Structure formats: C-alpha cells, structure tokens
Amino acid sequence: MTRLSTFARQGLVFDVRDAGPRDGAPVVLLHGFPQTSVSWGSVAELLNEQGFRTLAPDQRGYTPGALPRRRRDYRLSELIADAVALIETAGAGPVHLVGHDWGAAVAWGVAAARPDLVRTLTAVSVPHPLAFIQSMSRSTQALKSWYMLFFQLPWIPERLMSDESGFLERSLRGTGQTPANAARDLAELHRLGGARTALNWYRGMPLTQPSVLRRKITVPTLQVWSDGDTAVGRKGHELSQRFVSGAWELRTLEGVSHWIPDEAPERLAELLTEHFRKHATAA
C-alpha cells in the first residue's frame, strides 16, 4: 500500500505522517490546539509496534499548504471534510479514528457524518460538542472555557501569543505541559507565521451549523478524560453518552493533565489498542 506524505482538498495540501506496517489496520490521529501531528509521535510509535498503521495529518491552519485566512474557512463542516478527504485518499477502508482536543471535536463530526468510514471512535480530552455546550450550564465548564470568548477578539490574542509576549508558553505550562513540549508547539506555530490560523479554529465556531452534529454516533466509542485537565471537566464526557447509540465507554486517567498524548502515551496507547481489538470487526 502506497505511503501518504500529503493529501489534497479544494486546492489545499496537507502534510501527513504515515507510519507503521502498510497493511496494518489504519488509525487516523487528529491533533488539537495549538499542536501539530508531532504531538502524536510517541503514541503513533507504540501503535506501530502493535501492528497498526498510523496516519497523523497536520490539519488546516497548521500546515504550510493549508493556511486559509478567513475564519469561515474553519467552520467545523470544513474541518470534518478535510478528515474525510484523508480517509478516502488513504483508501484503506474504515479507520480507527482518534482525536485529541480540537481533533476530538472533528472526530465526533466525522463519526456522525460518515460512519461508513469509521470503525471505532476515540475522543481524547474533549466530549461530544453538543454535550460540551450542555455542560456549560450544568457544571463549572463555562468558567474553564473563558479563553474561548477571549479568542474571538481581533489581534489581541495574536499579540499575546507572539514569541516576545511569552503569554502562550506560560499558559501551556500552567495547564500541565512540560517546558520542552510547550517550546516545541510554539516553534511550530511561529514556523507557520504566527497564531492567527490556529485561533481561527475558535473563531469559526459561531459560524458552524449545529446540524452537522445532530446524528447519533453509531460506531463503538471510547472517551478518555484525565482528572488533571484544567480546560475540560468530566460533566461533558458523562453527558456525551446521550449522543451515542453504539457501544460507549468512558475511561479516566488519574494524575494526568489535558495533554494526554504527550504526558501519558503508554497508558493511552494501551487503551486504544484494547478498544481497537475489542471492536476489530465493527463496520
């Protein structure tokens, strides 16, 4: 099977990290904010050792060939369509779909819109988007998510997320990232010309139609939450079950921050492998 280094959609070109046995069961790994596919490196290596082929794209806003500037280009429907294009380009049949942070929101959308392309779904750190919204009025989630409103402001977030400010690095470290990983992710952002396109993931939220998420998830679903997560509480994960009609399970990692793929790759890879093999024949 041919290796993928890129895939294209509507004139945009996305870089992909394709690793592991070419004939292994395919696993698509979607990163979150403000990271790239590099954040999946340790997890991908562990999955490759278990015989899985991993496909980790740099999503729009995080890859040189796909940096649209308008916030409407970052509606969830566009992000979902990008992931669908990757799966169809890979041509390996239904995939095990895994997303962390914003990547989880995209993964939920893909599983809702195109269940024929998804063998299993794993959402790491972020619940179903509609459950997340519901949790705002039923927990302290609204307080945890203050930054989402702040990111809607023009130019001020970009200024604070510049190299000179140090704001973003301090924020990442404050949520549990190691200094090395925070520096790595900041270097990737600035290599791409700054934070604007990454921030547009948040700025595209008000333009997203809820209809893209209203279909129930029919594929086997695993949610992974960590009790050291300062950005996302447990309530949204518990509420997510109502949006899933297929098999559903919530697992909690104790003593781990929001940055699960970086901080606990072995524990996450173990949960993923168990989930994939349990539902290996799911269609």
Side-chain angles (χ1 to χ4, degrees):
M1 188 174 295
T2 304
R3 287 288 188 198
L4 283 184
S5 59
T6 63
F7 74 97
R9 175 177 174 262
Q10 294 186 342
L12 301 178
V13 179
F14 303 81
D15 293 336
V16 184
R17 296 174 185 269
D18 182 351
R22 295 188 183 189
D23 59 350
V27 181
V28 170
L29 302 167
L30 303 177
H31 67 80
F33 172 91
Q35 301 188 298
T36 67
S37 60
V38 173
S39 63
W40 285 112
S42 297
V43 173
E45 185 175 347
L46 292 166
L47 293 177
N48 298 157
E49 291 173 358
Q50 294 297 316
F52 295 99
R53 176 191 180 192
T54 55
L55 296 155
D58 290 330
Q59 299 186 84
R60 68 169 58 201
Y62 293 91
T63 189
L67 296 171
R69 304 293 286 179
R70 302 176 304 176
R71 65 185 186 127
R72 69 185 304 273
D73 293 323
Y74 293 83
R75 291 168 295 169
L76 189 56
S77 57
E78 293 296 324
L79 307 175
I80 291 169
D82 293 341
V84 167
L86 167 60
I87 297 170
E88 292 180 333
T89 300
V95 304
H96 297 290
L97 183 59
V98 184
H100 173 247
D101 189 80
W102 258 109
V106 176
W108 282 109
V110 173
R114 293 295 305 273
D116 57 305
L117 298 179
V118 181
R119 192 173 301 278
T120 66
L121 168 66
T122 304
V124 183
S125 300
V126 168
H128 189 285
L130 297 182
F132 182 76
I133 292 171
Q134 291 180 0
S135 72
M136 295 279 190
S137 62
R138 302 182 62 175
S139 69
T140 60
Q141 186 58 60
L143 292 175
K144 293 178 183 290
S145 300
W146 64 270
Y147 60 92
M148 293 186 175
L149 183 60
F150 171 68
F151 286 166
Q152 303 302 316
L153 298 174
W155 72 264
I156 296 176
E158 284 93 331
R159 182 70 176 270
L160 287 176
M161 291 169 68
S162 67
D163 273 328
E164 296 78 14
S165 163
F167 170 83
L168 183 55
E169 182 174 8
R170 291 193 301 272
S171 298
L172 293 175
R173 293 173 64 174
T175 60
Q177 261 203 333
T178 65
N181 287 338
R184 174 201 67 193
D185 294 338
L186 284 171
E188 286 294 299
L189 274 187
H190 295 298
R191 179 179 66 86
L192 295 168
R196 177 177 175 179
T197 56
L199 288 167
N200 275 348
W201 282 60
Y202 291 93
R203 292 168 176 165
M205 286 192 305
L207 306 178
T208 293
Q209 294 296 322
S211 59
V212 302
L213 296 163
R214 283 182 178 152
R215 292 183 184 175
K216 283 206 170 186
I217 306 299
T218 59
V219 302
T221 300
L222 170 66
Q223 291 179 242
V224 183
W225 178 70
S226 47
D227 63 5
D229 194 327
T230 60
V232 183
R234 182 181 176 89
K235 189 62 177 181
H237 287 280
E238 295 173 342
L239 293 172
S240 295
Q241 186 175 13
R242 64 180 60 184
F243 297 98
V244 180
S245 62
W248 178 87
E249 185 177 10
L250 171 60
R251 302 290 290 270
T252 300
L253 298 182
E254 297 180 354
V256 178
S257 76
H258 177 78
W259 311 98
I260 294 175
D262 279 322
E263 188 175 338
E266 295 86 0
R267 294 160 73 181
L268 179 57
E270 183 178 352
L271 290 176
L272 292 174
T273 300
E274 176 187 328
H275 182 53
F276 299 162
R277 290 180 173 161
K278 181 178 180 180
H279 302 286
T281 60

